[in-house]
Amino acid sequence: MLTFIAFAVFATWYTTCLFFYVATDEARADLAPEFEQKYGIDAMTHPIVMADYWRDGHYNIRPLVGLCIFLTIVSTGLGIMTFCTVSILRYLSRAESLLSTKTRQLQYALFRSLAVQTIIPVIFLHANCALAIGLPVFGIDFSLFCDFISVSCSCFPPFDAVATILLMRDYRKAVRSIVMCSYCTGGFSVLINGFFLFLIVFNSPASLTRYKVLLGNSAATDLVFSLSTTFLQCRLIPNKWAFAYVALGPAKYFGEQVSYYTYVLQLHSLFYLFLCFPVIISLRVDNGYC
């Protein structure tokens, strides 16, 4: 069923864009200066999907038909979602006494997840697309918001996934366990500090001559600390009056000495960076960066 729906919607949109949202030469010529100024492309030859609603003092029928198809698809989808939402709520209210606590909690969690998965695309995708497609029918200029509309459409997939993860308890637990994993945080730290070091070396302004060295020193030290942390995977084990550190990362396969030296390197980079902070702060004050 889902495969059929996906194919049908794709075919509908493909046909609509192919036959009803056609970029005519006159419309391309009108947009050519803005295309050249904003994107540096030739509007006369670049592939474009265009709805030219008004031309020569009258409405064009083809893009209006495409608009009607769009509104039909969206309104049908919203109608089905509304009907299903009401049906689910009625079923849960009737069957509440027949369901176990765990099953009821799971069903309500799934319902909340579906509701959020519906609301997010409506806000970030459908509403924005409706504005982009519908406002030109009335001659309303929305050029100030066109870039925002494109960005908000790209925000929909991550927000949708994050919202679902936060609403489902099992997913939240899995994310918590992954975040607590030093491989994840350490690897991310290595990437960020490596990129930061790249920016310092190749993109620092000339005015940061001395401060650039200290920034590079901090980034390199953080990078060493991240590498040693990821390689060591040190875990703390307390026991009332005592505590111990144990290496659970790749360092454990190289023997005690390698683990010990890696731990010393980790401590050294941590406290070395801490002792460098007064120098960095004094240089910032001396050069007027604060």
Side-chain angles (χ1 to χ4, degrees):
M1 184 64 180
L2 293 177
T3 304
F4 172 76
I5 293 175
F7 177 78
V9 173
F10 172 80
T12 303
W13 278 120
Y14 177 82
T15 305
T16 302
C17 293
L18 182 64
F19 293 105
F20 299 110
Y21 289 145
V22 180
T24 61
D25 292 337
E26 295 84 357
R28 286 176 178 270
D30 290 341
L31 293 177
E34 187 171 355
F35 267 66
E36 179 64 30
Q37 178 183 0
K38 194 170 185 178
Y39 301 109
I41 60 177
D42 185 7
M44 302 303 296
T45 58
H46 199 79
I48 299 174
V49 175
M50 180 182 295
D52 188 20
Y53 294 117
W54 184 268
R55 176 69 56 182
D56 299 329
H58 61 83
Y59 281 106
N60 295 327
I61 188 64
R62 286 205 298 182
L64 291 177
V65 173
L67 176 63
C68 292
I69 294 174
F70 167 78
L71 294 177
T72 301
I73 294 175
V74 173
S75 58
T76 301
L78 291 176
I80 293 174
M81 287 186 289
T82 303
F83 172 78
C84 292
T85 300
V86 175
S87 300
I88 292 173
L89 288 175
R90 286 180 177 177
Y91 172 78
L92 290 177
S93 62
R94 288 197 305 265
E96 187 170 357
S97 59
L98 303 177
L99 300 175
S100 64
T101 302
K102 185 176 181 180
T103 302
R104 186 169 60 253
Q105 291 176 349
L106 177 61
Q107 293 300 322
Y108 275 107
L110 289 173
F111 174 75
R112 289 193 297 269
S113 175
L114 289 174
V116 171
Q117 284 184 307
T118 302
I119 294 172
I120 288 178
V122 167
I123 295 175
F124 287 96
L125 188 63
H126 299 142
N128 290 329
C129 290
L131 291 175
I133 296 176
L135 288 180
V137 175
F138 306 100
I140 300 176
D141 183 14
F142 65 100
S143 56
L144 294 176
F145 308 100
C146 59
D147 292 333
F148 170 77
I149 290 175
S150 300
V151 173
S152 64
C153 289
S154 63
C155 289
F156 145 64
F159 285 173
D160 196 26
V162 169
T164 304
I165 291 172
L166 293 178
L167 288 171
M168 299 296 292
R169 183 177 59 183
D170 293 336
Y171 295 162
R172 291 199 304 270
K173 290 182 178 179
V175 170
R176 191 181 301 117
S177 63
I178 293 174
V179 171
M180 294 299 292
C181 174
S182 295
Y183 283 112
C184 178
T185 55
F188 182 72
S189 178
V190 169
L191 291 176
I192 291 297
N193 282 285
F195 181 66
F196 182 38
L197 190 60
F198 169 81
L199 293 178
I200 293 172
V201 174
F202 296 102
N203 293 274
S204 294
S207 58
L208 293 181
T209 305
R210 288 191 296 168
Y211 191 55
K212 172 183 175 181
V213 176
L214 293 179
L215 282 177
N217 176 70
S218 299
T221 306
D222 284 340
L223 184 60
V224 171
F225 179 80
S226 303
L227 290 170
S228 59
T229 300
T230 306
F231 182 65
L232 188 63
Q233 296 292 306
C234 194
R235 293 294 186 272
L236 176 63
I237 302 177
N239 185 18
K240 197 173 182 178
W241 298 101
F243 74 92
Y245 281 113
V246 58
L248 299 180
K252 67 181 180 181
Y253 299 109
F254 295 90
E256 293 182 2
Q257 290 299 318
V258 172
S259 299
Y260 175 73
Y261 289 137
T262 305
Y263 178 63
V264 172
L265 180 63
Q266 182 187 39
L267 290 180
H268 165 71
S269 57
L270 176 63
F271 286 97
Y272 170 75
L273 182 62
F274 176 75
L275 294 175
C276 287
F277 283 151
V279 179
I280 297 175
I281 294 174
S282 63
L283 184 63
R284 285 175 62 92
V285 175
D286 181 60
N287 287 272
Y289 293 118
C290 292

